[in-house]
Structure formats: C-alpha cells, structure tokens
Amino acid sequence: MKSIKFTVILIFMMSLTTFHAQEVVVVDSTGVAQENNEVLTTSIVKDTIKVPFKRFKAEGVTAVVGDYVVLDSDIDKSYLELQQQGIGVEDITRCQLLGKLLEDKLYAHHAKQDSIVVSEAEITSQVDQQIQYMVSELGSEDKVAKYYRKDNIAELKTELYTVNRTLKLASEMQRAVIEKVEVTPEETSQFFYSIPEEDRPVFSAEVEVAQIVIEPEVNEEARQGVIERLNSIREDIVDNGSSFATKAVLYSKDGTAQKGGLIEGIQRNSPLAKEFKDQAFSLLEGEVSEPFETEFGFHILTVDKIRGQEVDVRHIILFPELSQDVIDAARAEIDDLREKIVNGEITFEEAAKKYSDETETKNNGGQLVNPVTGDTRFDLTKMDPTLSAQVYNLENGEVSKVYNDRDYTGKSKFKILTVTNKYDEHKADYAKDYEKIKALALKEKQIREIEIWQDKKIKETYVNVNEDYLDCDFSSNWIKK
C-alpha cells in the first residue's frame, strides 16, 4: 500500500472534487488579477517547497498532452485550489502537481478519442453556480470579470465552461477505466493477509441506527388549497399574459426560484420524478401544464425550449399548508408509539414496519443506510452532525427523544431513533470488517488498473514537457525516457 503512486492517489482526491465542489473556483489558463500583474507562486529547489514569493506571471507552455496544453500558471492555480480546499501544500511539489495536471489532460484527450459524451446542460449549470458564488463573494458580475482579468462575464463563462468540460471528460474517462474492475473473495483475502499485522488499518467507532418517522397527514382540504393557488397562478399566466419566470421568482418554493424556475437539459433518463418528466415531454413550447403532484410537492410547468431529446422547462412548486391540529395529531401519534416501544409492548423494528411514514426505511425495520458506503454502518467521526448529535449518547436499544425535523420544503416531520449496534474503534478484523477490507482491496486494484492504462496511453499519445521540468521524478513516464 505504501508504494501507491502520489499522483494516482491525488487524482482520486481531486479530479471529482474539483468538478463538483461549488465553492471552489479554479480557472485553467486564466490569471487571477493581482496588483502589478503578479501572482503568488512557490519556488522549487531540488523538488522541495520553499517560502512563497511573488513573480511576474508568464503564460509559458509547460507541457502538451494530445490536444491539451498545460501552462505554468495552471500549476500556480493548483496550489491555490488545494489551499481553498483546506489541503496543506507544504509537502506537495510543483512536479507532483504537474504530474496530476498531465493525468487530467491525458484522461480528457482519450475521452474525446473514445467519444465519451458529457452533459452540456450539467456543465452549463456548474458554470452558473460558480459564477453565482463568485458574485456573492465579490458583489457583481463586473467585479468578477475584472478580478479574473476578463473584458466581460461572458468571456469568463466561456473559459469556465472549457475548464469544467475538460474536468468532466477526465472524470468520465477515469470511471470508464475502472468501472468493470472487481475483486474476488480470494483477492480480498490475499490483500488483507499481505499487510503486516502492525500495519493493518484501524477502523473508527461506528454505529448502526434505525428511525421511525411520522409525517403530518396532508388532508384533502390542504391538497385542494394548494391546487387552487396553482390554478390561480396558471390562469394569470395563460389568460393575462403574466410572465411564468416572474411568477416562479415570486412564489416557487425551491432553489430554482431565483432562476425563474428554470431547469435546463432534461432528458428521459434524468433523475427527476416520473410525473415531472411525463409533463416535460408531453407539452409543446410555451404550453403551461395543469397542476400535478410528485413526491416533492405540487407543480405547474411550462416548456421553454425543445432541443432534440432534451427540453428546457420552468416550473413552480408549492406545498400544502397544514393546520396546527394536523401537526399536533402527528406529534401525539409518535409520542404514543415511543411509549409503547419503551414499555416493551412492541419492538422498534415492528413499529417501524407497521407505522413509519418513511418508505425508504420502514421495510427494513427503520434501519438507515449510509449513502457513502452503501452499508448500514456510520463512522461516528464522519456522520452528518445532526444525526451524530441525536445518537451519540444512546446505548444499544435505547430510544431517543422525539425530534421535530424539517425537510428542504419546510415541512415538519417527527422521528425517534435507536442504536441497533455499536462498534468500538479497532484494528481491522477480516471476518468482522470484510466489506471494508473488500473496498480497500478494490481501490488498490483500481489504482493498479489506472497505472496500467496510463502507462499504455502515455506511449500512444503525443506528450511534450518543457525542459524546466525534465528533472522531475514523475511517477509516470511523461518524459518517455
């Protein structure tokens, strides 16, 4: 495990994080405007980090990989990116970061060669989110454009689009390389027992948690109330010519409201409610749907543009207004249920299966699944802080107090939790920790697969590295010695 290449590990850490992290903005080949046209960089002496100094920005070509160019300033911005993510850069060299950038370009180049397709709408949405974040930090689009030394925000968006598209191509190519890699039980066993006992990993304390959720019932009166509100909004749009986008800004209750309810690039396999997609693909441009319900709320929808197999839509979503009597009834129900569980009249598992309103967990007796690992164990040091606070002091089988949670819609729901198992911090045990050990074995095999792929593709691809970096001790054969 100690022999795993630095740059290969770094691409696992950074390539997906860079593309998805909304708060981090790194502009490839775009200088950050500083006083006197200077940028902060780090000197390299015998491939070690020294005290940062300022130098004049020089947009020299550091390397070429296939169709892609790496500039020296790209390395500077990689340092800034790592610092923005809270990653220490003291022990990371310019050679190592160049190696990582070369890998990104190699992936992107071969993604194009292999005709890997990325969602243009997804990339556009990513750019919009990045611009919104920068505007919130700097105050206006003009200030953002000036900060990044662009004549206007459109020029910056174009450059950001190119960067994000390259990163997405790289990440999709990496996924394609490793998607079919699997490990057998025999390989898992060989992996584990090849690690000296004193070097075997230590797993943090973990818990398994179950919960019961009771939601206030949406009665017919509340349903009709929200449908009437949507019909009124629809009538004003259809009959009086009011702007759908303006109505969405004023009334819609989700995050698309600030964009006038706009959702771009919907495809038939997009991860949206079936009812929503049915409406999106059944309307003509400019048509406004009747009110309809999904698991998320009540909507009206209009089609902005049809582009082949993709559609751009705007929607308005509202939620039923529940009376206090309905909310109080739900609270009384869960209080009574908790009392029966504590008194031994019914088990937590039985109560969850019979009474819980959370469809994802009720059939498993309320057992929660860790969305990161896919199993039922939660690392106490990595849990969602809210959930951790609710279960941290619970003993096995103990039932929590009643919690009043609100989802992103503002809707109240009541829940109780219990810890079904606790696992203390311990050194890896093959029998008890098989799934975790299997995951580690799979990761090592994926890394080996990536190394093999890289070695092969570097030989097949035009690569040229600037003479300033020919002394770098790259983990891959970029110099083709």
Side-chain angles (χ1 to χ4, degrees), residues 9 20 45 88 122 139 147 164 177 188 333 372 401 413 434:
I9 295 174
H20 293 292
V45 177
E122 181 182 351
Y147 184 82
N164 281 279
V177 172
T188 303
E333 180 182 353
V372 177
K401 66 180 183 179
K413 58 183 178 182
Y434 177 79

Side-chain angles (χ1 to χ4, degrees), residues 281-453:
F281 286 99
S282 66
L283 299 175
L284 300 176
E285 287 186 13
E287 269 194 285
V288 181
S289 74
E290 300 287 341
F292 63 95
E293 183 180 5
T294 70
E295 61 183 301
F296 303 104
F298 290 78
H299 315 248
I300 55 173
L301 177 150
T302 187
V303 173
D304 253 22
K305 191 173 184 62
I306 298 173
R307 295 183 281 108
Q309 298 301 309
E310 292 187 347
V311 294
D312 298 341
V313 306
R314 295 182 187 272
H315 83 128
I316 297 171
I317 182 171
L318 299 178
F319 312 115
E321 295 182 2
L322 302 176
S323 68
Q324 190 60 46
D325 288 345
V326 170
I327 296 172
D328 291 343
R331 176 60 193 250
E333 180 182 353
I334 199 166
D335 282 338
D336 181 61
L337 194 58
R338 182 183 185 280
E339 185 176 352
K340 288 180 178 178
I341 295 170
V342 171
N343 292 337
E345 298 176 40
I346 188 172
T347 67
F348 196 100
E349 181 179 359
E350 291 169 341
K353 290 180 177 179
K354 190 171 182 180
Y355 299 108
S356 182
D357 290 326
E358 188 172 62
T359 55
E360 299 88 349
T361 62
K362 68 178 299 178
N363 292 330
N364 293 325
Q367 198 76 50
L368 296 180
V369 174
N370 188 327
V372 177
T373 63
D375 62 23
T376 56
R377 293 190 183 187
F378 290 82
D379 184 332
L380 278 170
T381 65
K382 299 176 182 177
M383 285 179 74
D384 173 83
T386 301
L387 180 60
S388 177
Q390 292 169 348
V391 303
Y392 189 81
N393 292 318
L394 290 180
E395 299 296 331
N396 271 6
E398 184 181 357
V399 181
S400 74
K401 66 180 183 179
V402 175
Y403 290 99
N404 182 0
D405 276 0
R406 291 182 181 272
D407 61 20
Y408 75 97
T409 71
K411 179 181 176 182
S412 288
K413 58 183 178 182
F414 300 100
K415 71 176 183 180
I416 52 177
L417 305 101
T418 190
V419 171
T420 55
N421 269 308
K422 274 193 172 184
Y423 305 88
D424 294 330
E425 180 179 282
H426 62 283
K427 184 168 285 191
D429 179 280
Y430 185 75
K432 294 179 180 178
D433 302 303
Y434 177 79
E435 291 300 327
K436 285 185 173 59
I437 295 166
K438 181 181 177 181
L440 291 174
L442 176 62
K443 180 65 71 176
E444 184 182 66
K445 190 173 180 180
Q446 288 173 336
I447 290 173
R448 288 201 305 270
E449 191 73 18
I450 283 175
E451 291 174 346
I452 293 168
W453 183 91

Side-chain angles (χ1 to χ4, degrees), residues 123-368:
I123 298 168
T124 300
S125 176
Q126 172 76 12
V127 171
D128 288 343
Q129 291 171 14
Q130 290 174 332
I131 293 294
Q132 288 171 18
Y133 172 78
M134 289 187 282
V135 169
S136 70
E137 290 293 300
L138 297 178
S140 71
E141 289 188 351
D142 286 343
K143 289 181 179 179
V144 170
K146 182 179 179 181
Y147 184 82
Y148 284 94
R149 299 179 65 203
K150 299 299 173 186
D151 292 335
N152 52 60
I153 201 69
E155 187 179 345
L156 177 58
K157 282 185 176 181
T158 299
E159 193 132 22
L160 277 171
Y161 182 90
T162 301
V163 174
N164 281 279
R165 188 173 188 277
T166 300
L167 290 171
K168 184 63 175 175
L169 282 169
S171 67
E172 290 302 315
M173 187 69 249
Q174 181 179 321
R175 286 191 182 96
V177 172
I178 65 174
E179 66 181 353
K180 294 182 180 179
V181 177
E182 297 179 345
V183 289
T184 65
E186 182 180 358
E187 288 173 320
T188 303
S189 176
Q190 290 174 350
F191 166 80
F192 178 75
Y193 289 109
S194 68
I195 305 172
E197 188 170 350
E198 63 273 15
D199 292 335
R200 288 174 186 169
V202 174
F203 294 129
S204 301
E206 296 175 309
V207 292
E208 291 181 319
V209 180
Q211 69 180 21
I212 296 171
V213 176
I214 300 296
E215 298 180 358
E217 183 180 0
V218 178
N219 56 30
E220 191 58 30
E221 181 181 355
R223 288 171 54 85
Q224 288 304 314
V226 73
I227 290 171
E228 288 174 9
R229 286 190 64 203
L230 285 170
N231 273 324
S232 176
I233 294 170
R234 181 182 185 276
E235 182 179 346
D236 203 19
I237 295 168
V238 174
D239 296 342
N240 301 326
S242 294
S243 164
F244 194 105
T246 300
K247 293 289 187 182
V249 171
L250 292 173
Y251 301 114
S252 192
K253 300 299 183 183
D254 75 345
T256 66
Q258 61 185 344
K259 300 197 310 183
L262 181 63
I263 304 176
E264 297 178 288
I266 295 176
Q267 300 176 348
R268 292 192 180 274
N269 62 349
S270 295
L272 298 167
K274 179 182 181 299
E275 300 89 347
F276 194 94
K277 290 188 288 187
D278 288 345
Q279 292 289 336
F281 286 99
S282 66
L283 299 175
L284 300 176
E285 287 186 13
E287 269 194 285
V288 181
S289 74
E290 300 287 341
F292 63 95
E293 183 180 5
T294 70
E295 61 183 301
F296 303 104
F298 290 78
H299 315 248
I300 55 173
L301 177 150
T302 187
V303 173
D304 253 22
K305 191 173 184 62
I306 298 173
R307 295 183 281 108
Q309 298 301 309
E310 292 187 347
V311 294
D312 298 341
V313 306
R314 295 182 187 272
H315 83 128
I316 297 171
I317 182 171
L318 299 178
F319 312 115
E321 295 182 2
L322 302 176
S323 68
Q324 190 60 46
D325 288 345
V326 170
I327 296 172
D328 291 343
R331 176 60 193 250
E333 180 182 353
I334 199 166
D335 282 338
D336 181 61
L337 194 58
R338 182 183 185 280
E339 185 176 352
K340 288 180 178 178
I341 295 170
V342 171
N343 292 337
E345 298 176 40
I346 188 172
T347 67
F348 196 100
E349 181 179 359
E350 291 169 341
K353 290 180 177 179
K354 190 171 182 180
Y355 299 108
S356 182
D357 290 326
E358 188 172 62
T359 55
E360 299 88 349
T361 62
K362 68 178 299 178
N363 292 330
N364 293 325
Q367 198 76 50
L368 296 180

